[in-house]
Amino acid sequence: YINNALYLPIDTESNAKEFVDILKPDIANFVRYDLWLNTLLALNKANCKNFLICAAKPSENWFSSKKLAKSYFMHSYNQFQHIFTVDAIQTKYLQSINVTSPITTLSDTRSDRILYLVNIAQSQKIITDELLNNSVNLVAGSSWQKDEELISNAVNIINKNEFKIRVIYTPHLPTLNNIERIKSYHKNTILLSDLLNKVENNSPFLEQEIANSHIIVDSIGKLLKLYANADIAYIGGAFG
């Protein structure tokens, strides 16, 4: 196990040879379309096994329109002992351009990771559905002041006669000033930390406190699981 990170040198033949001679790797993994031809050639010459994971074709803008770039990538793809693509479309594409390296269709590890986290979030909600079932819940994720002003004004109009929409504010920066500012937008608010503390201590008045209250998240690392409580999700940062 090596816990160091370093940049690849500029991909010239001499740099690649020196780099490989120093590192002496047994296996080299490349990701998507981050291909370095001289490095790949040097690795192969040193009997290193090269693998491409999460393979996908480069941007159409310059890859397919420039013959030199296309030739570069085709030569690079053929330096791998095995290529693992993100889906069947990418596999079919590589086969269509006569890549000779063995190709296996898998999935995108980034998507797999997201799906895994989503499933965890849905099965381990921070706030139980029972506490929030009297309203439509709008989670404002990574919100900024302009977002919060827009949302609060709209929600206050909608809720004028009856509490219908609850906002769960997750400010981009949960500073004291930002939290106090969000509090000023509504008559009733509760901090997520206070809410969770009351849940843990089985507060007998919790349902009354949260009945008509908007929630303000005052810590980081909660947003993904809070999205599982959302009927509506708003992604912050679009205004201003």
Side-chain angles (χ1 to χ4, degrees):
Y1 175 74
I2 300 174
N3 62 354
N4 293 324
L6 67 158
Y7 292 104
L8 286 174
I10 295 174
D11 194 46
T12 64
E13 187 175 347
S14 58
N15 282 348
K17 182 180 184 306
E18 183 179 6
F19 181 77
V20 172
D21 287 346
I22 293 171
L23 203 60
K24 295 181 173 60
D26 298 312
I27 297 174
N29 291 325
F30 290 72
V31 182
R32 299 190 83 81
Y33 41 77
D34 190 17
L35 309 179
W36 301 73
L37 180 56
N38 285 312
T39 300
L40 285 165
L41 291 169
L43 289 167
N44 267 331
K45 193 171 182 180
N47 296 315
C48 175
K49 293 186 181 299
N50 302 324
F51 298 94
L52 180 62
I53 61 175
C54 296
K57 66 177 180 179
S59 169
E60 290 284 354
N61 292 336
W62 64 278
F63 172 65
S64 60
S65 61
K66 295 180 173 60
K67 290 183 179 180
L68 182 61
K70 192 169 185 177
S71 175
Y72 174 90
F73 273 89
M74 291 309 94
H75 196 22
S76 298
Y77 281 126
N78 287 326
Q79 304 308 312
F80 292 101
Q81 273 64 52
H82 209 110
I83 297 174
F84 300 91
T85 63
V86 298
D87 57 39
I89 294 174
Q90 308 304 321
T91 297
K92 186 176 180 180
Y93 177 78
L94 292 179
Q95 291 170 339
S96 73
I97 55 176
N98 300 318
V99 171
T100 58
S101 299
I103 304 171
T104 298
T105 304
L106 292 179
S107 59
D108 193 333
T109 55
R110 295 185 302 182
S111 298
D112 292 341
R113 177 64 176 165
I114 291 169
L115 288 171
Y116 169 76
L117 292 174
V118 167
N119 288 333
I120 292 294
Q122 290 176 336
S123 63
Q124 300 177 8
K125 291 182 179 179
I126 293 178
I127 309 172
T128 62
D129 291 333
E130 290 74 20
L131 283 174
L132 303 178
N133 66 4
N134 68 322
S135 61
V136 173
N137 302 302
L138 189 162
V139 173
S142 298
S143 60
W144 294 74
Q145 183 171 347
K146 290 289 185 181
D147 304 304
E148 293 149 3
E149 289 174 351
L150 176 71
I151 291 170
S152 61
N153 286 335
V155 168
N156 284 337
I157 293 171
I158 294 170
N159 290 355
K160 186 174 182 180
N161 297 316
E162 181 185 356
F163 191 82
K164 297 177 181 178
I165 296 181
R166 182 198 317 279
V167 184
I168 302 176
Y169 291 98
T170 308
H172 183 74
L173 296 172
T175 61
L176 182 60
N177 286 341
N178 283 338
I179 290 168
E180 290 301 317
R181 176 174 46 74
I182 297 171
K183 282 183 179 181
S184 71
Y185 296 151
H186 300 288
K187 182 179 179 181
N188 297 320
T189 61
I190 185 170
L191 297 180
L192 180 65
S193 58
D194 290 341
L195 171 59
L196 297 180
N197 185 54
K198 291 176 187 294
V199 169
E200 187 177 345
N201 293 314
N202 295 313
S203 171
F205 305 108
L206 179 56
E207 289 188 15
Q208 294 149 298
E209 288 184 65
I210 198 175
N212 297 311
S213 294
H214 302 284
I215 299 169
I216 304 173
V217 180
D218 52 340
S219 60
I220 60 174
K222 303 289 194 308
L223 182 55
L224 179 62
K225 287 188 176 181
L226 286 170
Y227 277 135
N229 290 113
D231 297 299
I232 305 169
Y234 177 95
I235 312 301
F239 294 90

